[in-house]
């Protein structure tokens, strides 16, 4: 069994011809650029690109397959250098009486994804764009994905905007057939321990992914998976914990860094104190115009006081992305990559002494503390990321 670093939630901003896919994503976030960044700079060995239902994106994929620069591999997935690309789609559902939720669907190959696109076109206003609403019940969408050999993963399940628990419902079983859910994505503002307060989630594999809207954000959250090979079939086995495959570790932001971790007052812009628990009004100005944070939402949904972590739940490591490290700008990051190869090499393989030789004692110290989860952090909320406190 081999270990692979995996980020399953990356958006496409534009096609090679400049056609918009994810409006809020960077223009240089194309299918090829994502694959290249993941393989050459990030060291991410499996990625999920979740706007592959777009016919214009499919045209780009066909171009690279026809040229031989990328290849469809046996067992599913598209190979580029040392990275496997899983073809996915983020889809918005809104069942009667519920709020909106985003679901991630993954399919084994391009032909299957094209067939899925033809079905979605009948129920979606613009299948070319990312994260569009589909006008069928969530369970119908689930059946269509599973019927094509696909898997379904609810996305960023606690975030206050467009997620299963954050905006749609209090129980995932109200929205989906739980037997047809392969895993759940925790999102940037939660971790395994927080999710462990909700018993409904006990059976599921947890994944944590970047939800990248720019090349630099790829791999800010990721997983280490144990697989026989980097293929779609092996990924499915890992999520279902079959035949020795599985998720060995989750690497994610400390929830305090997540931009929706705490409830936030949209009037006076205060992030509400963690000790307040679940709140209805801002303690600073008294306003009730608040954005409910992930922690507060989990507190309101929790059906146990102490989190339960099943024996199969892997460790969750607080991995501070390199862009959060004080003093580590593009020039010094490039120096690190030139010396060690990829960001995964810097974060997991380089020693403190080796890091000091390249970027000096202070930045090397931050990177080491990031590995150990001992950095001092300022809390995020209301759409603003937290940050690492500068020691100087």
């Amino acid at each position: 069994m081999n270990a692979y670093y995996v980020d399953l939630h990356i958006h496409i901003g534009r096609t090679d011809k400049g056609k918009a896919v994810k409006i809020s994503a960077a223009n240089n976030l194309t299918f090829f650029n994502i694959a290249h960044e993941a393989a050459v700079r990030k060291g991410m060995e499996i990625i999920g690109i979740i706007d592959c239902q777009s016919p214009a994106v499919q045209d780009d994929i066909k171009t690279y397959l026809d040229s031989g620069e990328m290849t469809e591999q046996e067992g599913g997935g598209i190979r580029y250098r040392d990275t496997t690309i899983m073809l996915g789609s983020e889809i918005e559902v809104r069942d009667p009486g519920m709020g909106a939720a985003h679901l991630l669907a993954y399919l084994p190959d391009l032909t299957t994804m094209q067939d899925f696109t033809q079905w979605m076109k009948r129920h979606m206003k613009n299948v070319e764009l990312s994260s569009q609403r589909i006008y069928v019940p969530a369970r119908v969408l689930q059946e269509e994905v599973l019927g094509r050999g696909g898997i379904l993963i609810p996305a960023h399940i606690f975030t206050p905007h467009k997620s299963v628990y954050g905006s749609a419902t209090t129980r995932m079983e109200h929205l989906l057939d739980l037997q047809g859910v392969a895993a759940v994505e925790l999102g940037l503002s939660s971790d395994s321990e927080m999710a462990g307060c909700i018993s409904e989630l006990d059976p599921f594999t947890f994944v944590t992914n970047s939800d990248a809207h720019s090349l630099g954000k790829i791999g800010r959250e990721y997983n280490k998976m144990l697989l026989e090979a980097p293929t779609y079939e092996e990924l499915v086995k890992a999520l279902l914990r079959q035949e020795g495959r599985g998720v060995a570790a989750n690497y994610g932001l400390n929830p305090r860094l997540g931009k929706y971790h705490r409830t936030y007052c949209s009037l006076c812009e205060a992030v509400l104190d963690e000790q307040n628990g679940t709140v209805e009004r801002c303690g600073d100005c008294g306003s009730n115009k608040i954005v409910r944070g992930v922690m507060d939402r989990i507190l309101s949904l929790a059906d146990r006081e102490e989190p339960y972590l099943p024996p199969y739940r892997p460790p969750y490591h607080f991995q501070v992305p390199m862009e959060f490290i004080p003093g580590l700008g593009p020039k010094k990051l490039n120096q690190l990559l030139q010396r060690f190869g990829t960001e995964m090499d810097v974060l997991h393989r380089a020693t403190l002494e080796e890091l000091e030789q390249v970027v000096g004692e202070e930045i090397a110290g931050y990177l080491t503390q990031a590995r150990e989860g001992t950095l001092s952090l300022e809390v995020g909320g209301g759409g603003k990321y937290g940050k690492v406190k500068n020691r100087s």
Side-chain angles (χ1 to χ4, degrees):
M1 210 71 69
N2 302 307
Y4 298 90
Y5 291 117
V6 181
D7 178 0
L8 292 173
H9 191 154
I10 303 170
H11 282 284
I12 291 178
R14 299 291 186 275
T15 67
D16 286 346
K17 295 180 179 178
K19 190 168 186 178
V21 181
K22 183 73 172 179
I23 304 296
S24 59
N27 290 343
N28 65 348
L29 207 57
T30 64
F31 188 87
F32 178 83
N33 287 348
I34 292 168
H36 189 78
E37 180 79 5
V40 175
R41 287 177 62 88
K42 298 293 182 177
M44 205 57 56
E45 293 146 325
I46 298 175
I47 57 173
I49 300 181
I50 50 86
D51 296 315
C52 294
Q53 85 294 330
S54 169
V57 170
Q58 293 166 5
D59 289 342
D60 287 348
I61 297 171
K62 285 187 287 184
T63 297
Y64 295 112
L65 291 176
D66 291 343
S67 71
E69 195 157 12
M70 299 182 185
T71 57
E72 286 202 284
Q73 58 184 16
E74 186 176 350
I78 291 176
R79 194 75 173 160
Y80 172 75
R81 297 196 179 189
D82 293 328
T83 294
T84 297
I85 305 157
M86 302 300 173
L87 304 183
S89 176
E90 184 174 48
I91 306 156
E92 181 176 318
V93 295
R94 185 163 189 167
D95 279 19
M98 300 185 196
H102 282 181
L103 306 175
L104 302 172
Y106 301 90
L107 294 164
D109 53 52
L110 180 58
T111 298
T112 307
M113 181 61 78
Q114 289 172 315
D115 178 71
F116 184 55
T117 295
Q118 292 304 310
W119 174 78
M120 282 206 296
K121 284 171 72 172
R122 303 198 299 269
H123 309 285
M124 184 178 286
K125 290 181 180 179
N126 192 345
V127 78
E128 291 281 4
L129 295 178
S130 173
S131 311
Q132 296 298 290
R133 182 177 174 186
I134 192 163
Y135 291 87
V136 299
R139 279 181 170 81
V140 172
L141 171 64
Q142 186 177 27
E143 290 170 0
E144 292 290 336
V145 172
L146 299 183
R148 290 174 169 80
I151 54 173
L152 197 74
I153 299 177
H156 42 72
I157 56 173
F158 297 115
T159 53
H161 306 293
K162 299 181 179 180
S163 73
V164 170
Y165 293 115
S167 56
T169 182
T170 58
R171 299 278 297 178
M172 187 161 59
E173 66 182 358
H174 297 161
L175 186 70
L176 297 165
D177 176 1
L178 299 187
Q179 297 299 314
V181 173
V184 296
E185 182 186 69
L186 293 176
L188 300 181
S189 295
S190 64
D191 60 21
S192 297
E193 190 166 306
M194 293 167 68
C197 291
I198 299 175
S199 62
E200 187 181 44
L201 293 174
D202 290 351
F204 299 105
T205 295
F206 291 169
V207 293
T208 184
N209 303 306
S210 68
D211 196 357
H213 285 53
S214 66
L215 291 174
K217 294 290 194 295
I218 294 171
R220 63 177 169 179
E221 294 208 347
Y222 55 96
N223 314 276
K224 182 166 74 173
M225 295 193 185
L226 299 178
L227 314 170
E228 285 288 349
T231 67
Y232 175 83
E233 290 178 356
E234 287 287 308
L235 171 68
V236 174
K237 289 180 181 179
L239 297 178
L240 299 179
R241 305 189 299 276
Q242 294 175 342
E243 301 175 27
R245 282 73 162 175
V247 177
N250 302 121
Y251 293 88
L253 289 175
N254 186 310
R256 292 173 62 87
L257 288 173
K259 63 182 180 177
Y260 297 115
H261 179 57
R262 292 302 301 177
T263 295
Y264 173 85
C265 176
S266 60
L267 187 64
C268 74
E269 300 187 346
V271 175
L272 304 188
D273 192 294
E274 291 191 52
Q275 296 182 6
N276 287 347
T278 302
V279 297
E280 300 299 331
R281 288 185 175 273
C282 176
D284 289 355
C285 72
S287 171
N288 61 358
K289 295 180 179 180
I290 57 176
V291 178
R292 179 72 64 200
V294 167
M295 174 178 279
D296 297 292
R297 180 58 173 164
I298 291 174
L299 286 172
S300 70
L301 295 174
D303 56 359
R304 54 168 66 113
E305 293 185 5
E306 295 295 327
Y308 170 64
L309 300 178
Y312 50 79
R313 185 78 67 228
Y316 189 105
H317 300 289
F318 293 148
Q319 185 70 73
V320 177
M322 297 179 74
E323 65 176 317
F324 281 86
I325 301 298
L328 185 60
K331 182 178 179 180
K332 289 184 177 179
L333 176 56
N334 284 334
Q335 291 173 348
L336 286 170
L337 296 181
Q338 288 171 7
R339 169 67 175 81
F340 300 109
T342 68
E343 288 190 14
M344 292 299 101
D345 293 321
V346 174
L347 291 170
H348 293 284
R349 302 181 183 106
T351 66
L352 173 61
E353 292 74 18
E354 289 172 333
L355 292 170
E356 287 178 344
Q357 292 171 8
V358 180
V359 293
E361 182 178 344
E362 184 175 30
I363 294 176
Y366 279 128
L367 288 168
T368 303
Q369 284 185 287
R371 288 178 180 174
E372 297 169 349
T374 58
L375 283 171
S376 181
L377 308 174
E378 293 182 13
V379 69
K384 294 182 180 180
Y385 290 105
K387 62 182 180 179
V388 175
K389 291 183 179 178
N390 198 313
R391 293 177 296 186
S392 59

